[in-house]
Amino acid sequence: MSENAINMSDNNDEKSGENSITKVLLVDDHAVVRDGIRARFETHPDFEVVGEAVNGRDAIIKAGELTPDVVLMDISMPVMNGMDAARQIRTDYPDMKVIILTMHEHKEYIQGVIRCGAHGYIVKDVGADEMINAIKTVLGGETYYSSCVSQMMYDDFSKSDRTNADKLGLTQRQRTILALVDQGMSSKDIANELNISVRTVEAHRHNIKIKLDAQNAASTSTSGATSAPAAAK
């Protein structure tokens, strides 16, 4: 804390301290899971669990009442699942960050998380340090995916997708990373090669995937439009 901040009144000191704390809302239908996650924040005084919810609908209500900075939310819950709740929270509170915290590592879940607008996807067995890092990353405006999730997301990139990179409007950095991926390099190897963090590499790979998906969707739409007249004849 700066000298100016130290010399402020007690009132302002208290307000400044409150503003420096990251507020977290936990959402999971199992109390034992919530207790375990809450315990991981006990050694991190800059983070405070301000509330808990047991399903997606409850999460939306608590998000409005407690205005957390970030929501850590499971996918499979009664009443309303985590992805539907994440989509609603993103609509109602655009500045609020949502990280899916789950045991699911299937591609269909990962793709669903991307579509619902969640800012991150981490598995429940990550350690406290990675969980804190994930929160800091999304609060900094980036996305965060556990390493095992990121690897699964990009293992199915096809050769044709990569060779068509010049049509995607990729930045030079993204082109470089895509070329290294095509050589079979992992995110860690690429990070070492380019002297950047692993999370920066994975963020670029995530953005590349989004552009590839958009191109594929556009191609499908165009193909359907051009084939329609022929089908009518």
Side-chain angles (χ1 to χ4, degrees), residues 155-202:
D155 278 347
D156 60 352
F157 270 13
S158 69
K159 183 75 174 181
S160 60
D161 280 336
R162 294 166 181 162
T163 55
N164 287 332
D166 58 336
K167 301 178 182 179
L168 301 176
L170 301 183
T171 65
Q172 185 58 49
R173 174 69 85 185
Q174 288 170 342
R175 288 171 179 265
T176 300
I177 289 174
L178 195 56
L180 295 175
V181 169
D182 203 32
Q183 294 173 23
M185 294 179 66
S186 68
S187 291
K188 183 177 180 180
D189 293 335
I190 294 171
N192 291 334
E193 177 75 14
L194 301 180
N195 195 29
I196 57 179
S197 72
V198 173
R199 294 305 167 192
T200 296
V201 174
E202 291 177 345

Side-chain angles (χ1 to χ4, degrees), residues 88-100:
Q88 189 62 50
I89 289 172
R90 294 286 293 116
T91 299
D92 294 344
Y93 313 104
D95 294 331
M96 197 175 291
K97 307 299 183 182
V98 179
I99 297 176
I100 296 297

Side-chain angles (χ1 to χ4, degrees), residues 7-15:
N7 290 330
M8 293 172 68
S9 68
D10 291 342
N11 232 10
N12 286 335
D13 274 338
E14 184 178 352
K15 183 177 180 181

Side-chain angles (χ1 to χ4, degrees), residues 110-135:
I110 298 170
Q111 292 165 353
V113 169
I114 294 173
R115 288 193 295 269
C116 78
H119 302 89
Y121 190 116
I122 57 179
V123 291
K124 289 181 179 179
D125 59 358
V126 299
D129 289 342
E130 182 170 356
M131 189 172 294
I132 295 298
N133 187 33
I135 293 174

Side-chain angles (χ1 to χ4, degrees), residues 77-112:
M77 297 181 291
V79 184
M80 177 184 285
N81 66 59
M83 285 188 282
D84 288 343
R87 188 177 294 107
Q88 189 62 50
I89 289 172
R90 294 286 293 116
T91 299
D92 294 344
Y93 313 104
D95 294 331
M96 197 175 291
K97 307 299 183 182
V98 179
I99 297 176
I100 296 297
L101 181 65
T102 183
M103 292 305 297
H104 295 296
E105 297 180 26
H106 303 297
K107 289 180 182 179
E108 58 267 25
Y109 283 106
I110 298 170
Q111 292 165 353

